[in-house]
Amino acid sequence: MAVKKKTKQISLGGLKIGGGAPVVVQSMTKTDTRDVPSTVAQVKRLQTAGCEAVRVAVLNAEAAVAIRSIIKRIHIPLIADVHFDHKLALIALENGADGLRINPGNIGSRLKVREVVSAARDKGVPIRIGVNAGSLEKDLLRKYKHPAAKALVESAGRHIKILEGLKFRSIKVSLKASDVMRTVEAYRLFSEKFSYPVHIGISEAGPAFSGTVKSAVGLGILLSEGIGDTIRVSLTADPVEEVKVAYEILKSLHLRQIGPELISCPTCGRCQVDIRGIVEKVETKLSSVKKPIKVAVMGCVVNGPGEAREADIGIAGGKGMGILFKHGKVVKTLKERELFSTLMREIKRM
């Protein structure tokens, strides 16, 4: 298991972030926040998938006001994402937002920032400073010629200084770019200079397949080095997929063990049963299981049980038949048509 770097701890609703707390899985709604029924429905789907905090876009006052109706019908902390207009942040706070995501440098004068910080402090709401390679300050782009990792960290430092100058330290920081290694470098540099908790992600990672690969590589590197207190996988896809991918990344590093882990062989010429079909059905069934059980679906009896020795339960196929095994030991021999149903029945019993 990766050893997490010790950061300051903040509270987001009922969640503890940083300070040794487990990595929190986050996502963002892709609905119009003003459409309360659609937004609530999407958040509930995210909750069911295991999402622990959700961010909503606040583009106008109507969206900020809608937060009050939304939070009454959901059960995870809600973060308001605000840019350029400090009044939207104030309205979001007044309507019960559990967290804010802003850049203090782009919401107006120091007086306006002070208003937001004062309101956040009064309500015990943390602020995430969200630095993004796509919206860096122009002087930093001139200085570094492009959105370099050092530019991201310098931008974050500026915003931190603004909040610290107002005696506000309930801060979380993100430094995102669509380039994997630039993002990794930025977080590494930041973690050497600051002890504030960080929200990690690869910005605009892309569609489901390529975005999952980029996120797994970048976030896997950071998490393996102990960097990351909250995580979002940004995909051009259903946000539920973001949550699923996030948990798979965390499970692969033994950082979170929520829900089942399915391991399966890629199949080869030795495989004489429909393992791909069985795997698809098992994966679908396991999606509703919340306990951390390890399940193996293997293609042959030659290497199956041995390769999946650490699994809690599994099956390995033969010619028109297969075996059921637990912890690498054979329990019984089954006909091919019995493999899936027997496996699921035994999982339910466990």
Side-chain angles (χ1 to χ4, degrees), residues 19 38 111 149 156 166 176 185-186 205 236 277 285 288 313 321 349:
S38 295
L111 179 61
L166 295 169
K176 296 184 180 181
E185 183 184 356
T236 311
K285 285 288 186 181
S288 61
I313 188 169
M321 49 76 69
R349 287 175 181 171

Side-chain angles (χ1 to χ4, degrees), residues 136-154:
L136 274 178
E137 298 92 316
K138 290 181 180 179
D139 67 307
L140 289 178
L141 288 175
R142 288 193 296 270
K143 177 179 178 179
Y144 290 97
K145 310 304 181 186
H146 69 107
K150 289 182 179 179
L152 295 174
V153 176
E154 186 170 335

Side-chain angles (χ1 to χ4, degrees), residues 192-214:
E192 291 173 0
K193 294 184 176 183
F194 300 95
S195 60
Y196 287 110
V198 292
H199 169 76
I200 62 173
I202 305 299
S203 182
E204 292 87 37
F209 175 72
S210 59
T212 293
V213 173
K214 289 174 69 174

Side-chain angles (χ1 to χ4, degrees), residues 3-11 15-24 160 169-175 187-200 222-223 225-231:
V3 178
K4 288 181 87 274
K5 291 194 175 182
K6 193 68 177 287
T7 54
K8 296 178 180 178
Q9 189 168 86
I10 62 172
S11 295
L15 287 174
K16 297 297 183 184
I17 294 174
V23 180
V24 170
I160 288 171
R169 289 179 169 78
S170 185
I171 299 169
K172 181 172 64 170
V173 179
S174 62
L175 309 99
Y187 279 107
R188 282 172 172 165
L189 291 172
F190 181 86
S191 67
E192 291 173 0
K193 294 184 176 183
F194 300 95
S195 60
Y196 287 110
V198 292
H199 169 76
I200 62 173
L222 290 171
L223 291 165
E225 296 177 5
I227 300 171
D229 298 288
T230 67
I231 176 176

Side-chain angles (χ1 to χ4, degrees), residues 12 26 53-57 77-81 97-101 172:
L12 174 67
Q26 183 178 313
V54 67
R55 182 159 48 108
V56 299
L78 182 147
I79 302 155
D81 189 295
D98 299 291
L100 283 180
R101 188 273 193 179
K172 181 172 64 170

Side-chain angles (χ1 to χ4, degrees), residues 156-336:
R158 286 180 178 180
H159 298 317
I160 288 171
K161 188 174 182 180
I162 293 172
L163 296 188
E164 287 182 339
L166 295 169
K167 309 300 182 185
F168 188 87
R169 289 179 169 78
S170 185
I171 299 169
K172 181 172 64 170
V173 179
S174 62
L175 309 99
K176 296 184 180 181
S178 57
D179 181 88
V180 171
M181 295 315 298
R182 185 181 304 161
T183 302
V184 169
E185 183 184 356
Y187 279 107
R188 282 172 172 165
L189 291 172
F190 181 86
S191 67
E192 291 173 0
K193 294 184 176 183
F194 300 95
S195 60
Y196 287 110
V198 292
H199 169 76
I200 62 173
I202 305 299
S203 182
E204 292 87 37
F209 175 72
S210 59
T212 293
V213 173
K214 289 174 69 174
S215 296
V217 171
L219 303 186
I221 292 171
L222 290 171
L223 291 165
S224 71
E225 296 177 5
I227 300 171
D229 298 288
T230 67
I231 176 176
R232 182 201 174 189
V233 174
S234 300
L235 301 176
T236 311
D238 187 325
V240 170
E241 293 303 308
E242 298 183 351
V243 175
K244 290 180 179 179
V245 173
Y247 274 113
E248 287 302 315
I249 293 171
L250 292 171
K251 283 191 288 186
S252 70
L253 293 166
H254 300 167
L255 289 169
R256 297 291 299 270
Q257 297 300 319
I258 295 176
E261 179 182 356
L262 175 60
I263 60 175
S264 60
C265 70
T267 74
C268 67
R270 288 196 302 269
C271 185
Q272 299 183 66
V273 295
D274 181 20
I275 287 297
R276 287 179 61 184
I278 293 174
V279 167
E280 289 176 2
K281 291 192 292 184
V282 171
E283 185 176 39
T284 299
K285 285 288 186 181
L286 290 180
S287 64
S288 61
V289 176
K290 300 303 178 187
K291 292 186 177 180
I293 184 173
K294 182 178 284 189
V295 180
V297 179
M298 312 306 287
C300 71
V301 295
V302 176
N303 296 322
E307 290 176 348
R309 196 176 303 278
E310 299 303 314
D312 297 299
I313 188 169
I315 54 175
K319 187 176 182 180
M321 49 76 69
I323 59 170
L324 173 73
F325 58 89
K326 293 182 180 180
H327 302 293
K329 296 181 178 179
V330 176
V331 176
K332 64 174 73 172
T333 301
L334 301 163
K335 294 180 180 179
E336 180 177 352

